[in-house]
Amino acid sequence: MKILFLCTANSARSIMAEAILRQFVGQGIQVYSAGSAPTAVEPQALATLEQFKVDTTKLRAKSLADLPTHEFDYVISLCDRARHECQAEFRNSKFIAWDFPDPVSSSDPQAYTRTVHELSERIRMFLLILRKGSKHKQLFNSPEDFFKIMADPLRLSMILMLAQHAQLCVCDFVESTGMSQPKVSRHLAQLRDFGLLVDRKQGRWVYYRLNESMPDWMRQVIDTTANHNPQLYPTPIHCSASTEYLETQHDS
């Protein structure tokens, strides 16, 4: 599998993403980065990666022309300009748009550190979906399937509930929607298989949250729909499992 990260200068965000993903997967996936108007790698980007023990020895700013191939399984843009300039060139790849703030232009002294953390989290979620090897078509770069899923009233309600909460237990959805546990679990599993949700099991309970690695436009559609249509979803009634989990998190 080949994955390419894109941003304009290939000086920080895409370089950091390349290094982080390569660190996670070793030799299992071929990882590249490039810029539509490359400059030079920012020293602070390298220094921050090294603080997190990420190998930086082979990192350099590259143009699209420097790439050994233009055939990639996934192309992930990390700024809106790169998406506009490059998406048409990679129409045969699964194209994912993540719009990350540029740490180079930030006045926040923790901008590079925050970028490493946020990139790491999204990349972990992205890998989780890839490694599940689901037989279902993934929603990455599939708008028609995304809107088909959103059109189901129960699935839409559960997605919008999660837009307002970090994570919810299966029992929360059962209590709030009044639907049976098997029906709720079946729909949640479908949303997970399509890549919209990720799950985590604790004891005998399963908790779900929105997948941070989904394309930004999908998350914006979900958030906008939730903010403007609160009547479409109930306020979650936290069941005893969620209450116990929240208390455990607070105590820790």
Side-chain angles (χ1 to χ4, degrees):
M1 180 177 290
K2 298 183 180 69
I3 296 176
L4 171 66
F5 291 101
L6 290 174
C7 65
T8 304
N10 194 212
S11 63
R13 289 164 289 183
S14 54
I15 282 285
M16 297 166 91
E18 174 189 357
I20 291 167
L21 178 55
R22 187 174 289 127
Q23 189 92 346
F24 285 165
V25 300
Q27 301 300 314
I29 295 177
Q30 297 179 48
V31 188
Y32 304 86
S33 71
S36 55
T39 55
V41 179
E42 290 289 333
Q44 188 60 39
L46 299 179
T48 305
L49 288 170
E50 289 165 0
Q51 288 175 10
F52 286 91
K53 311 300 182 185
V54 177
D55 184 18
T56 63
T57 54
K58 296 182 179 180
L59 297 179
R60 64 182 183 88
K62 302 169 291 297
S63 70
L64 297 177
D66 294 328
L67 295 170
T69 179
H70 276 209
E71 300 295 324
F72 295 95
D73 298 283
Y74 289 92
V75 176
I76 302 175
S77 65
L78 298 173
C79 69
D80 202 44
R81 178 178 168 184
R83 177 180 67 83
H84 281 293
E85 294 178 343
C86 303
Q87 188 166 4
E89 186 167 346
F90 295 98
R91 66 179 71 249
N92 294 325
S93 303
K94 296 181 178 68
F95 198 100
I96 303 173
W98 294 344
D99 192 11
F100 273 76
D102 187 2
V104 178
S105 59
S106 175
S107 58
D108 181 359
Q110 297 300 314
Y112 285 92
T113 298
R114 187 174 62 253
T115 300
V116 168
H117 283 303
E118 292 178 357
L119 279 171
S120 297
E121 181 64 17
R122 285 221 195 178
I123 290 170
R124 286 182 193 278
M125 292 301 101
F126 173 69
L127 288 175
L128 180 64
I129 295 301
L130 292 186
R131 287 168 175 165
K132 284 203 181 241
S134 171
K135 63 183 179 181
H136 296 284
K137 184 177 180 180
Q138 296 299 324
L139 288 177
F140 299 137
N141 200 36
S142 184
E144 62 277 13
D145 289 319
F146 171 72
F147 286 108
K148 286 178 184 177
I149 282 179
M150 293 280 282
D152 179 271
L154 178 58
R155 288 198 292 261
L156 176 61
S157 176
M158 295 191 294
I159 291 169
L160 299 184
M161 287 167 65
L162 284 171
Q164 303 298 309
H165 300 270
Q167 65 177 357
L168 293 171
C169 177
V170 171
C171 60
D172 291 323
F173 295 107
V174 172
E175 293 279 354
S176 300
T177 65
M179 298 295 177
S180 67
Q181 186 270 325
K183 183 173 184 178
V184 165
S185 293
R186 183 173 68 254
H187 281 280
L188 288 170
Q190 290 171 342
L191 293 171
R192 178 199 61 207
D193 290 341
F194 274 105
L196 270 180
L197 306 184
V198 292
D199 60 0
R200 179 189 60 78
K201 189 171 184 180
Q202 179 166 312
R204 61 194 182 94
W205 301 105
V206 180
Y207 296 84
Y208 287 86
R209 69 181 188 274
L210 293 177
N211 184 0
E212 294 92 339
S213 71
M214 73 173 72
D216 284 343
W217 72 265
M218 289 186 181
R219 183 57 195 254
Q220 290 165 8
V221 168
I222 292 171
D223 288 341
T224 300
T225 304
N227 291 336
H228 289 271
N229 299 276
Q231 77 281 3
L232 294 180
Y233 59 93
T235 300
I237 305 169
H238 288 296
C239 66
S240 58
S242 283
T243 302
E244 292 170 6
Y245 172 76
L246 291 170
E247 289 174 349
T248 301
Q249 292 295 96
H250 178 73
D251 293 340
S252 62

